[in-house]
Amino acid sequence: MSKSASRARLVEIIRKRSFGRGEITLASGRKSDFYFNLKPTMLDPEGAALLAELTYEALKDDGLDYIGGLEMGAVPLAGAVAQISWLKGHPIAAFFVRKKPKEHGAKLAVEGLAKNESLKGKRVVIVEDVTTTGDSALKAVEAVRDAGGEVVLVLTMVDRQEGAVENFAQAGLAFRWLFQASEYLKD
């Protein structure tokens, strides 16, 4: 399937499985009359494959070592992209950042790295399923920087277009998206 055909198909899947209208309270506490819940798309076989493919294509030339982000939204994305990157011969390892470090065991904030692995000096992309203001992604950025990683980009599947561009620019971070809310609000 061509990139444009893959993208068009994924728009359909997101519209059917993950987009809705109706009042909702966002993670930020703000109210909205539309929402994206990308978990049904990320966990659908075709949706997962298309998200992984398009995300990998968007990132393959960025010289990345790791892909990850804040739990839960980044977990299926990072895992799927890690798998496809291996299959395409350009491995990008995955990790995720806990919202709160575990209170037992190793008490880690960053999960998925082996004992001998570190983000120190590594080029990292932070991924999100849906981005509103970018605050959640910035928490992951902070954890990666605390671990010594270099965050080169934040990539979201859907930008709600409600402040993230400005917030990431202010933080000195490159920001890209696969889709924007305006693509779904036309109808």
Side-chain angles (χ1 to χ4, degrees), residues 72-92:
M72 274 300 301
V75 174
L77 292 170
V81 173
Q83 180 181 14
I84 200 165
S85 72
W86 173 261
L87 295 172
K88 297 214 177 237
H90 184 303
I92 304 169

Side-chain angles (χ1 to χ4, degrees), residues 102-117:
K102 286 188 347 182
E103 295 179 11
H104 61 282
K107 300 182 180 182
L108 299 173
V110 175
E111 290 278 4
L113 306 178
K115 290 178 192 174
N116 62 341
E117 292 176 324

Side-chain angles (χ1 to χ4, degrees), residues 129-147:
D129 53 349
V130 180
T131 304
T132 302
T133 63
D135 287 346
S136 294
L138 289 171
K139 290 175 186 166
V141 167
E142 183 180 340
V144 167
R145 287 179 173 164
D146 286 349

Side-chain angles (χ1 to χ4, degrees), residues 154-176:
V154 176
L155 177 72
T156 189
M157 303 305 101
V158 179
D159 175 19
R160 286 182 52 93
Q161 299 175 278
E162 295 182 17
V165 169
E166 297 80 9
N167 288 337
F168 290 129
Q170 187 174 45
L173 290 163
F175 176 56
R176 296 195 308 241

Side-chain angles (χ1 to χ4, degrees), residues 5-158:
S6 293
R7 191 180 193 289
R9 177 65 183 133
L10 188 52
V11 166
E12 290 176 28
I13 293 169
I14 291 171
R15 186 176 305 282
K16 178 181 175 188
R17 297 182 62 83
S18 296
F19 175 72
R21 292 283 197 163
E23 187 173 310
I24 189 165
T25 303
L26 305 172
S28 65
R30 294 189 303 167
K31 302 278 187 200
S32 178
D33 67 346
F34 69 93
Y35 61 91
F36 293 91
N37 173 8
L38 245 56
K39 277 80 171 171
T41 296
M42 292 188 297
L43 298 172
D44 173 74
E46 184 182 11
L50 291 171
L51 278 170
E53 179 73 30
L54 291 172
T55 301
Y56 173 78
E57 288 298 319
L59 298 173
K60 69 181 181 182
D61 297 325
D62 290 314
L64 300 167
D65 299 302
Y66 284 91
I67 182 170
L70 201 62
E71 64 175 339
M72 274 300 301
V75 174
L77 292 170
V81 173
Q83 180 181 14
I84 200 165
S85 72
W86 173 261
L87 295 172
K88 297 214 177 237
H90 184 303
I92 304 169
F95 69 92
F96 72 92
V97 175
R98 290 184 176 279
K99 291 178 183 170
K100 190 173 109 180
K102 286 188 347 182
E103 295 179 11
H104 61 282
K107 300 182 180 182
L108 299 173
V110 175
E111 290 278 4
L113 306 178
K115 290 178 192 174
N116 62 341
E117 292 176 324
S118 165
L119 295 179
K120 189 171 185 159
K122 302 297 184 182
R123 292 176 53 84
V124 175
V125 60
I126 298 298
V127 290
E128 275 200 306
D129 53 349
V130 180
T131 304
T132 302
T133 63
D135 287 346
S136 294
L138 289 171
K139 290 175 186 166
V141 167
E142 183 180 340
V144 167
R145 287 179 173 164
D146 286 349
E150 175 194 357
V151 177
V152 296
L153 170 68
V154 176
L155 177 72
T156 189
M157 303 305 101
V158 179

